[in-house]
């Protein structure tokens, strides 16, 4: 899966699917029209699917040129996720979640906090409201976990889709822990030596 920011997302989504990605997570979705356009960009341009993804000589079209039944099925099977992270998207949540072809929703608390101007307590309440809206609309929610403190509660709530943190943060925290432990060992060794 590839995550794409708003600018050029539709062009890049088609290139990503053509190069072998089976899923696209669209960031910065604000309106129902944004979501409809995102879904259409990775659906075949056929009467049945009504998308905008045409025949193309890309990796997913080989060994034959794109446009045949296997190609159409491949494009149609692309998983579509949308980020709910902007105030506008939250204000029209049920409409966005009812767009056919949305396979899951990813909550973006940091962007939402910035976009809405809300504080941490409001962010937690908004996340809960998002999960309720997802349940009402039959769209799975996916949550980013940086630790397992709330994992049991989220599973009990019915959530089954998770991403396990952000690679840069995981590396930073791991290196910070290793550095702190190494510094402690060096200090202890220096004290013993003197």
């Amino acid at each position: 899966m590839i995550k794409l920011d708003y600018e050029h997302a539709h062009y890049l989504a088609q290139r990503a699917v053509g190069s072998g990605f089976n899923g696209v997570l669209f960031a910065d979705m604000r309106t129902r029209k944004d979501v409809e356009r995102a879904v259409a960009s990775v659906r075949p341009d056929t009467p049945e699917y009504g998308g905008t993804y045409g025949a193309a000589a890309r990796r997913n079209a080989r060994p034959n040129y794109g446009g045949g039944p296997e190609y159409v099925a491949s494009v149609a099977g692309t998983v579509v996720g949308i980020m709910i992270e902007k105030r506008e998207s939250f204000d029209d949540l049920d409409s966005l979640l009812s767009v056919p072809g949305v396979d899951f929703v990813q909550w973006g608390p940091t962007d939402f906090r910035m976009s809405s101007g809300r504080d941490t307590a409001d962010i937690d309440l908004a996340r809960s409201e998002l999960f309720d809206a997802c349940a009402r609309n039959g769209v799975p929610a996916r949550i980013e976990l940086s630790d397992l403190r709330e994992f049991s509660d989220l599973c009990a709530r019915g959530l089954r889709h998770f991403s396990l943190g952000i690679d840069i943060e995981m590396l930073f925290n791991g290196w910070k822990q290793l550095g702190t432990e190494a510094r402690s060992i060096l200090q202890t060794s220096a004290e013993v030596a003197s």
Side-chain angles (χ1 to χ4, degrees):
M1 181 178 305
I2 188 170
K3 179 180 177 185
L4 299 172
D5 291 328
Y6 189 77
E7 284 299 316
H8 309 294
H10 311 292
Y11 169 81
L12 293 174
Q14 291 181 352
R15 293 309 181 267
V17 170
S19 69
F21 282 90
N22 295 320
V24 180
L25 177 58
F26 291 93
D28 303 320
M29 298 287 100
R30 287 178 165 80
T31 66
R32 181 180 176 92
K33 187 173 182 171
D34 288 342
V35 175
E36 289 171 341
R37 185 167 179 238
V39 171
S41 70
V42 293
R43 292 296 179 255
D45 184 9
T46 65
E48 177 186 359
Y49 290 102
T52 59
Y53 195 113
R58 299 187 185 126
R59 181 171 289 171
N60 64 345
R62 296 292 165 217
N64 302 312
Y65 186 69
E70 296 85 9
Y71 175 83
V72 169
S74 170
V75 174
T78 303
V79 173
V80 174
I82 61 167
M83 294 289 301
I84 298 296
E85 58 187 343
K86 300 298 182 185
R87 177 187 42 79
E88 300 92 338
S89 63
F90 197 83
D91 292 343
D92 199 18
L93 207 48
D94 284 306
S95 178
L96 272 63
L97 295 176
S98 68
V99 172
V102 173
D103 295 305
F104 75 93
V105 168
Q106 172 78 44
W107 172 236
T110 305
D111 277 299
F112 184 74
R113 180 181 296 118
M114 185 175 172
S115 170
S116 68
R118 296 185 184 183
D119 63 24
T120 301
D122 287 337
I123 300 305
D124 291 341
L125 180 61
R127 181 180 84 162
S128 184
E129 290 175 24
L130 171 64
F131 294 161
D132 290 342
C134 285
R136 273 194 312 275
N137 288 280
V139 177
R142 180 176 153 211
I143 187 82
E144 288 180 3
L145 287 176
S146 54
D147 61 57
L148 293 177
R149 286 180 288 192
E150 64 178 342
F151 188 67
S152 294
D153 292 338
L154 293 168
C155 287
R157 188 162 184 176
L159 291 159
R160 297 290 181 262
H161 303 279
F162 301 90
S163 68
L164 300 175
I166 300 169
D167 55 356
I168 295 171
E169 287 179 9
M170 296 172 91
L171 289 169
F172 172 80
N173 291 331
W175 289 329
K176 185 177 179 181
Q177 179 182 345
L178 286 171
T180 300
E181 291 173 11
R183 187 175 292 117
S184 176
I185 292 169
L186 285 171
Q187 288 173 345
T188 303
S189 296
E191 291 170 7
V192 170
S194 54

